Amino acid sequence: MKPPTFSYVAPGSVEEVTRLLASDPDAKIISGGQSLMPLLAMRLAGPSMLVDLKAVNGLARIGIGETEITIGARVTHHDIESSAELASALPLLPFVARFIAHPQIRSRGTLGGSVAHSDPSAEWPTVLLAMDATIDVVGPRGGRSIAVDDFFTGPFTSSMAFDEVLVAVRVPRADRRWAFQEAARKAGDYGLAIVAVTAGVDADGRLHGCRVAVGACVGTTTRLRDVEDAIDGAVPGETLAARAEAVARDSVQPISDIHGSSEYRRRLLGNLVRRAVTDLTNGQ
Amino acid sequence: MDETLQHIKTPVVAARAIGTRVLRSEDPRLLSGRGVFLADTVLPGELHAAFVRSPVAHARITRIDVSAALALPGVFLAWTGTDVLPHCEGLVGEFAVPGCNATTMPLLATGEVVYVGEPVAVVVAESRYAAEDAAELIEWDFEELPVVVSADAALAGGDVANSQLPDNIGITGGATYGDVELAFEQADQVVSGRYYTGRVSAAPMETRGVIASYEWASGQLRVWSGSQMPHFVRYCLTAYLGFPEQCVEVIAPDTGGGFGQKAHVYVEEMLLPLLSRELDRPVKWVEDRRENLMAGTHAHEQYVDIAYALDDTGRITAVRTDALGDGGAYHAPPWSMAVEPWCAVVMTPTGIYDVPAAEYSYTAVATNKTPIGAYRGVGYMAGTLARECLADDAARALGMSPFDFRRSNVVREFPWTNPQNIVYDEGSWLETIDALEEMVDYTAFLQRQAELRLQGRYLGLGLSCFVESSGESTATSKEHGLGDVYHDTATVRMDPNGTATVTVGLTAQGQGLATTMGQMAADTLGIRVEDITVRMATSTSQAYGSGTVGSRGAVIASGAVARAGGIIREKVRAVAAHMLEASENDIELADGTASVAGAPDAKVAIADVAAAIYFDMTAWPEGFDPTLEATLAYDTARPMFSNGGHAMIVELDPDTGFVRFEKVFSVEDCGTVINPNVVEGQIRGGVVQGIGAAVFEELSYDASGQLLSTTFLDYGLPTMDVAPPFEIRHLETPSAHTASGVKGMGESGLIAAPAAVLNAVNDALTPFGAVLRELPLTPEKVFSAMNGSSAGEAS
Ligand SMILES: Cc1cc2nc3c(=O)[nH]c(=O)nc-3n(C[C@H](O)[C@H](O)[C@H](O)COP(=O)(O)OP(=O)(O)OC[C@H]3O[C@@H](n4cnc5c(N)ncnc54)[C@H](O)[C@@H]3O)c2cc1C
């Protein structure tokens, strides 16, 4: 479990990073290394060059704005978990950080790395999809912003180009309820299924603008639009939760592996959706 | 050998250290990161080995080319099977009973590869990085052969897993004691079931590893290996490779867990010395986790069919057991495939129950999987799983509580002779059941269970009682029809200041043996535990040992320490008697002082006696021999058995099928407890491994024989957050045959915990009318049992 040979650079600017990436299609960014290093050690990846982001300034900030929160790509899972500002402004994020891996990994692994890696089993992609986040990237041709709905295109693939750098994630600050459910066998395990829900609630208690995202049991982090339609405009409660469960079961074709069959995961996902919609009632 | 060695009969006059919670002397070093493990040992000029391992389960090698690997800068050597063959044909694996067909495991495969992970070639380079780069450049072609991936398929015959075993049979046999057939004919009721253990890895925190350093000028070979049996490895280096034994030293550094996986001799241990001799440089190999999960021995995989004949009072009148082990592709020496199915049925075939008739059969078949090896408790786990889970089935069928059913069958009087005619000298088998029932407060539990069920919460209580053959010995082996000889030595030396150094022949893998042996020596010599240094066998140049296996450490080492210490003790008493002008028989040693019984003022410090032995001949009695150092061997005179039980409370989540462990209640009787902290640590660790095997861990193969769980991402070891709180009670029924009454207990947690888990889950499943019999209890199996759906195997 030793990586093959590669060269290593730690440039001081985003421009330099993109130039290096553009110059060598086999180069790869390394951020916290918590997904990339295992791939290298098991020789499942063999990049020619690692471009480390650690010397680039300004990527590790959390900015709390009036309408949105901006989190730099190099902000670690631990930074998010322990941020007092996030705990009051967007408590879903620190709440979820605790579900990711173990303390050692959280102190190195980064938000940008997790989103760029686009692992369908990871927590951040699911949660950011439910939060309607925007992903800011910079490439040799300049910067652009990608709506999260357009970001995750497949297992471990995104709409980012190979020479683009993810610099920040922006999350709207809206008055919305949220719920998060993950079925993981042990603390730190990847989940067998993950569900994140956010929704607005109007004056008469009806949900609107619901976003229901699912990870881990599917090949690509994705929204359950049928479930969103089923709960939009309704008052949360036991009946609604049961309806959401039934719709969820019918709206996915989960993956099957040694940890659970597709059929088991379908039932599991339905139950997590039910629990999440029930949690919305409680108004987190 | 009829007469086994008895420890000296001197009574332990003052149990000062024994029985107390002495803090582990190992901990300051190990817990502060100051241990020196194999990978920490760096020899000048060392080179690094990497293996090419088979990516397919069964194939014939048609071509292999190492030239590209050799051409890489920094590469010193690349060997294939044909390079090794002239040195050694391979390691023979067999079990010395009729019905065993031996296998020879080549050091590197030649011709045929028989499991994923089997070493095919080895590269030695200046770094592990370069060695892995070179290993990728070895080209080889193979023709795939039909694979056998299940025990049933192997037994059915047809496709052959390993051409050395044309019938796929590694070992088979059986025996009948008493009129089993009649008992089943006359039974009022018969209960039966087929239990599956799953296939797991001992998964020690530190993987395997070997360093070999051969020096041509002196002909000395030093081999570092975290082996539980360094003396056996040394013996094999001579027997298989011809290194003169007196020139071979096997060094066992600090070792991060072995659990039986390191109680084997491995091809890597034989290969590295050859490479070092060839290259005239030290060569090191530190196994990575993927290799460990593929090529370190696997464990357990057995199907056990069991049936009880019952009369209408709820008594078991006969038991039939048939164990079918999936042994993997070879016998793993020295234990062989017998380590699972043979042990499951031959050792304690009736458990704690007074069953007059027993019949058993065992078969281990070869499959295209990693060889099965020893893992803490070996086949006793499968046997206990079958007996104890069927006991719960029987209790359910009879409408009895699991406590009552066990009470109506348990052996109550000792000595007790089992159907095999083996005598069990003592035990607290009934007391264990009573203690567990009291600890769980069974009536209150039933009430809470009923109340929570109304709220849709599903609690279950599972019970598992065990009797464990402990202190693996010549006598145990002989009584069970084998001829293995075991014994270990200890050296005790007293220094001029009255302090002592003790060396034992066992290696330690984290158990705290140095602490407990210090306590034994302290009470034998009458000095403080702080005044003793214990050296575990870190090298074969020290005391001799048969291996840290079979719950024998505390029993055998303490016997050897008591015998060797007894010699020193007698010398101290003789000189003290002379100094105090008293009779030797009246001298008592305790608290660092030699005193005369009945004359409290007549005393001398043991330090002064020791100083006199070294420096003052006038203190010596007539003809005194001042050697204050003794080495003696020990083995138990009779087989001995520890006992105990666990009760576990679990809760099932109907939404996920997850099993939550609420609490474990453990009762352990290992005779005299030397150190409760150490015993409780063994219980906790073993039970959590049992929880792992029962619920979280599984080495999965696909239909082509590909191993799918090769990282800890896919192989789920239990972690602290799923480990339940424990309540532990000690019962002490000392053995009359060991130093101070000690019995072994290192394996009991893993032996008995899986049955308690399965019983608890099945208890929780009662409202759903489902009973599970196959481990591990994955979320899907539990979920299906609760939801009546097809996935998983509810019956
Ligand atoms: C034992 C273990 C358990 C884990 N458990 C979990 C878990 O339960 N849940 C979970 O979500 N994750 C888990 N992880 C993964 C962890 O969260 C990683 O930290 C995260 O997925 C990647 O972040 P990183 O900064 O380490 O990225 P790296 O490993 O450095 O990079 C990952 C990938 O993203 C690319 N990349 C990184 N940063 C950027 C950027 N700014 N722009 C463009 N591309 C970039 C890299 O080129 C690489 O392809 C676990 C990891 C381990 C080792």
Side-chain angles (χ1 to χ4, degrees):
Chain A
M1 283 208 195
K2 299 289 182 220
T5 312
F6 55 81
S7 61
Y8 171 89
V9 275
S13 71
V14 172
E15 292 65 35
E16 183 64 5
V17 172
T18 61
R19 198 189 57 74
L20 285 163
L21 292 175
S23 73
D24 179 355
D26 290 332
K28 266 222 157 283
I29 290 178
I30 181 162
S31 181
Q34 297 305 295
S35 292
L36 189 57
M37 285 316 295
L39 291 176
L40 293 186
M42 289 190 270
R43 298 190 174 224
L44 297 171
S48 54
M49 182 200 299
L50 291 188
V51 184
D52 198 331
L53 296 181
K54 74 175 182 197
V56 179
N57 277 328
L59 294 184
R61 274 189 223 121
I62 299 176
I64 313 279
E66 287 271 291
T67 57
E68 64 179 13
I69 285 168
T70 308
I71 306 176
R74 280 198 39 83
V75 170
T76 66
H77 311 320
H78 170 77
D79 294 338
I80 295 174
E81 182 183 5
S82 58
S83 160
E85 288 168 309
L86 284 179
S88 65
L90 265 187
L92 174 55
L93 291 176
F95 175 79
V96 168
R98 282 192 291 277
F99 287 81
I100 301 173
H102 312 279
Q104 297 90 328
I105 292 154
R106 293 203 287 273
S107 67
R108 293 201 75 104
T110 65
L111 178 71
S114 176
V115 175
H117 195 51
S118 303
D119 182 342
S121 301
E123 282 80 0
W124 290 139
T126 313
V127 165
L128 295 175
L129 192 57
M131 293 179 117
D132 199 12
T134 303
I135 289 118
D136 293 336
V137 303
V138 174
R141 294 157 303 279
R144 63 181 178 124
S145 296
I146 307 173
V148 70
D149 282 338
D150 303 324
F151 193 84
F152 304 109
T153 53
F156 302 97
T157 47
S158 72
S159 51
M160 257 168 66
F162 76 96
D163 54 3
E164 285 180 316
V165 189
L166 194 163
V167 291
V169 171
R170 284 179 290 127
V171 187
R173 277 189 87 169
D175 183 22
R176 287 164 73 81
R177 287 190 188 166
W178 57 267
F180 177 82
Q181 286 287 335
E182 174 170 339
R185 301 194 65 191
K186 296 173 280 154
D189 272 14
Y190 283 99
L192 291 164
I194 304 176
V195 174
V197 182
T198 68
V201 187
D202 62 23
D204 50 358
R206 289 174 194 284
L207 302 175
H208 63 82
C210 300
R211 294 179 68 94
V212 179
V214 47
C217 58
V218 284
T220 309
T221 309
T222 188
R223 281 170 69 186
L224 298 181
R225 306 224 184 218
D226 292 347
V227 177
E228 292 174 359
D229 292 346
I231 64 174
D232 231 62
V235 178
E238 239 174 73
T239 335
L240 187 67
R243 189 154 89 236
E245 175 191 342
V247 174
R249 275 196 217 167
D250 290 340
S251 62
V252 280
Q253 184 56 49
I255 57 158
S256 193
D257 64 19
I258 56 172
H259 304 295
S261 70
S262 180
E263 188 46 36
Y264 164 70
R265 284 187 151 104
R266 177 194 306 285
R267 305 278 302 265
L268 177 65
L269 176 65
N271 290 336
L272 295 193
V273 166
R274 190 188 71 242
R275 285 183 178 179
V277 173
T278 307
D279 286 348
L280 284 183
T281 319
N282 308 331
Q284 262 172 326
Chain B
M1 200 202 284
D2 274 359
E3 280 297 302
T4 49
L5 305 165
Q6 289 282 338
H7 68 92
I8 197 152
K9 289 293 183 197
T10 314
V12 172
V13 280
R16 292 291 196 273
I18 290 175
T20 64
R21 293 181 184 269
V22 171
L23 293 182
R24 288 174 24 128
S25 57
E26 296 90 340
D27 282 347
R29 210 167 49 75
L30 293 178
L31 299 187
S32 66
R34 285 164 172 77
V36 179
F37 296 83
L38 185 131
D40 301 322
T41 305
V42 177
L43 300 186
E46 72 178 16
L47 299 174
H48 297 263
F51 289 90
V52 175
R53 295 181 181 277
S54 176
V56 290
H58 198 192
R60 185 166 309 288
I61 303 170
T62 52
R63 184 184 73 96
I64 199 161
D65 181 357
V66 300
S67 52
L70 280 174
L72 202 72
V75 173
F76 285 72
L77 172 152
W79 268 9
T80 68
T82 43
D83 298 308
V84 193
L85 213 51
H87 300 283
C88 176
E89 246 182 79
L91 301 178
V92 176
E94 66 184 324
F95 196 60
V97 298
C100 179
N101 304 307
T103 58
T104 301
M105 188 191 288
L107 302 193
L108 292 171
T110 44
E112 191 182 6
V113 289
V114 286
Y115 68 95
V116 168
E118 179 168 17
V120 169
V122 63
V123 178
V124 181
E126 64 189 9
S127 69
R128 174 77 185 215
Y129 292 85
E132 288 191 25
D133 289 346
E136 283 193 327
L137 296 176
I138 290 184
E139 288 174 31
W140 63 297
D141 298 332
F142 49 82
E143 238 165 59
E144 290 204 46
L145 297 170
V147 296
V148 180
V149 289
S150 80
D152 285 332
L155 200 58
D159 290 337
V160 174
N162 178 343
S163 59
Q164 296 179 32
L165 298 172
D167 301 325
N168 294 328
I169 303 291
I171 184 168
T172 188
T176 305
Y177 301 93
D179 202 337
V180 175
E181 209 169 309
L182 186 72
F184 272 89
E185 252 167 47
Q186 296 181 342
D188 292 313
Q189 203 176 141
V190 171
V191 287
S192 63
R194 183 180 224 218
Y195 295 90
Y196 175 64
T197 62
R199 175 177 272 253
V200 299
S201 167
M205 193 189 291
E206 185 194 17
T207 55
R208 298 178 299 143
V210 185
I211 306 172
S213 176
Y214 179 77
E215 279 162 36
W216 67 269
S218 61
Q220 294 289 318
L221 172 68
R222 284 179 302 159
V223 176
W224 283 254
S225 169
S227 177
Q228 293 168 243
M229 305 194 301
H231 286 274
F232 181 68
V233 171
R234 179 175 185 240
Y235 176 80
C236 288
L237 288 165
T238 300
Y240 282 111
L241 306 176
F243 288 100
E245 197 161 356
Q246 82 281 9
C247 297
V248 179
E249 182 184 359
V250 176
I251 297 162
D254 281 325
T255 300
F259 309 113
Q261 192 186 68
K262 294 175 185 167
H264 285 275
V265 58
Y266 282 99
V267 294
E268 292 91 348
E269 284 167 323
M270 296 293 114
L271 207 44
L272 273 270
L274 294 177
L275 299 174
S276 175
R277 185 171 65 186
E278 183 78 11
L279 293 165
D280 195 22
R281 295 273 289 269
V283 181
K284 181 186 219 167
W285 166 71
V286 178
E287 184 177 49
D288 64 38
R289 185 58 65 185
R290 187 170 43 176
E291 286 183 292
N292 183 261
L293 287 169
M294 287 195 308
T297 49
H298 288 181
H300 289 168
E301 189 160 18
Q302 279 198 60
Y303 295 87
V304 184
D305 280 293
I306 181 166
Y308 288 149
L310 299 169
D311 70 16
D312 52 18
T313 67
R315 295 217 26 137
I316 309 170
T317 53
V319 56
R320 266 195 184 120
T321 327
D322 175 52
L324 173 62
D326 178 333
Y330 296 104
H331 288 293
W335 312 111
S336 86
M337 295 181 191
V339 78
E340 279 297 325
W342 183 91
C343 283
V345 297
V346 177
M347 305 298 293
T348 68
T350 49
I352 62 163
Y353 306 117
D354 192 359
V355 182
E359 179 175 288
Y360 56 71
S361 50
Y362 53 85
T363 304
V365 289
T367 56
N368 293 113
K369 299 184 192 169
T370 302
I372 287 288
Y375 179 25
R376 200 175 197 173
V378 295
Y380 306 163
M381 184 293 245
T384 306
L385 180 77
R387 283 189 299 270
E388 285 301 286
C389 294
L390 191 65
D392 269 30
D393 272 353
R396 268 189 294 269
L398 295 161
M400 292 171 82
S401 100
F403 296 97
D404 289 341
F405 176 77
R406 284 173 174 77
R407 257 191 299 261
S408 66
N409 283 287
V410 71
V411 171
R412 288 163 185 260
E413 273 171 36
F414 294 94
W416 173 69
T417 306
N418 87 344
Q420 295 159 298
N421 222 17
I422 294 171
V423 178
Y424 291 60
D425 292 323
E426 75 287 306
S428 53
W429 303 1
L430 173 65
E431 294 85 336
T432 297
I433 302 168
D434 293 343
L436 285 170
E437 186 171 26
E438 184 196 311
M439 287 162 80
V440 302
D441 193 349
Y442 190 50
T443 322
F445 171 80
L446 288 176
Q447 196 183 337
R448 185 162 70 99
Q449 184 184 43
E451 282 165 14
L452 288 175
R453 268 184 198 162
L454 297 176
Q455 301 168 26
R457 290 183 54 189
Y458 300 97
L459 253 57
L461 172 70
L463 188 59
S464 167
C465 295
F466 65 89
V467 50
E468 177 203 358
S469 152
S470 83
E472 196 63 33
S473 63
T474 310
T476 310
S477 172
K478 193 176 164 198
E479 292 275 313
H480 292 88
L482 307 176
D484 301 340
V485 172
Y486 295 84
H487 59 82
D488 292 57
T489 65
T491 300
V492 176
R493 192 183 71 212
M494 187 173 271
D495 310 315
N497 280 311
T499 58
T501 307
V502 173
T503 312
V504 300
L506 289 165
T507 58
Q509 293 76 36
Q511 301 92 330
L513 271 167
T515 306
T516 49
M517 289 313 107
Q519 291 175 259
M520 269 310 301
D523 284 0
T524 306
L525 298 172
I527 61 178
R528 299 183 313 160
V529 74
E530 298 87 328
D531 291 334
I532 291 174
T533 294
V534 178
R535 297 214 189 97
M536 301 308 296
T538 49
S539 159
T540 49
S541 65
Q542 298 156 352
Y544 177 80
S546 305
T548 308
V549 299
S551 298
R552 68 194 297 276
V555 176
I556 306 298
S558 72
V561 167
R563 286 195 82 216
I567 302 282
I568 307 303
R569 176 189 173 79
E570 290 316 300
K571 295 205 175 186
V572 170
R573 288 176 79 202
V575 173
H578 195 246
M579 290 168 82
L580 295 169
E581 293 174 358
S583 155
E584 202 177 315
N585 291 333
D586 293 336
I587 299 293
E588 288 173 352
L589 304 184
D591 304 319
T593 306
S595 53
V596 180
D601 291 337
K603 59 184 178 189
V604 55
I606 290 175
D608 292 335
V609 180
I613 292 174
Y614 279 93
F615 307 126
D616 180 8
M617 282 180 75
T618 64
W620 299 0
E622 188 68 23
F624 182 73
D625 173 352
T627 315
L628 263 197
E629 173 168 330
T631 300
L632 281 172
Y634 178 69
D635 184 18
T636 63
R638 295 180 41 71
M640 69 178 73
F641 301 89
S642 304
N643 68 275
H646 308 285
M648 235 177 250
I649 297 177
V650 304
E651 180 172 3
L652 309 182
D653 181 341
D655 281 350
T656 59
F658 290 180
V659 181
R660 184 180 66 85
F661 293 87
E662 185 181 286
K663 189 154 184 187
V664 177
F665 303 86
S666 297
V667 171
E668 172 77 47
D669 188 342
C670 54
T672 304
V673 175
I674 301 175
N675 185 331
N677 285 352
V678 170
V679 169
E680 288 163 16
Q682 291 290 310
I683 293 173
R684 287 195 172 88
V687 168
V688 172
Q689 283 179 319
I691 287 174
V695 170
F696 294 103
E697 300 175 38
E698 183 169 29
L699 290 164
S700 322
Y701 281 86
D702 70 12
S704 71
Q706 199 56 243
L707 179 61
L708 302 176
S709 27
T710 58
T711 70
F712 281 161
L713 186 68
D714 287 320
Y715 186 76
L717 283 178
T719 41
M720 279 310 290
D721 61 304
V722 296
F726 279 74
E727 189 177 318
I728 297 172
R729 189 179 291 184
H730 301 279
L731 302 177
E732 294 192 71
T733 314
S735 164
H737 303 284
T738 61
S740 75
V742 191
K743 295 191 276 193
M745 58 75 55
E747 300 169 289
S748 63
L750 182 51
I751 286 173
V757 176
L758 183 55
N759 281 339
V761 168
N762 281 332
D763 184 44
L765 287 175
T766 315
F768 303 93
V771 177
L772 297 175
R773 295 197 175 89
E774 304 208 341
L775 303 183
L777 299 161
T778 59
E780 178 153 4
K781 284 183 200 163
V782 174
F783 184 88
S784 301
M786 299 181 88
N787 289 278
S789 62
S790 56
E793 46 257 86
S795 65

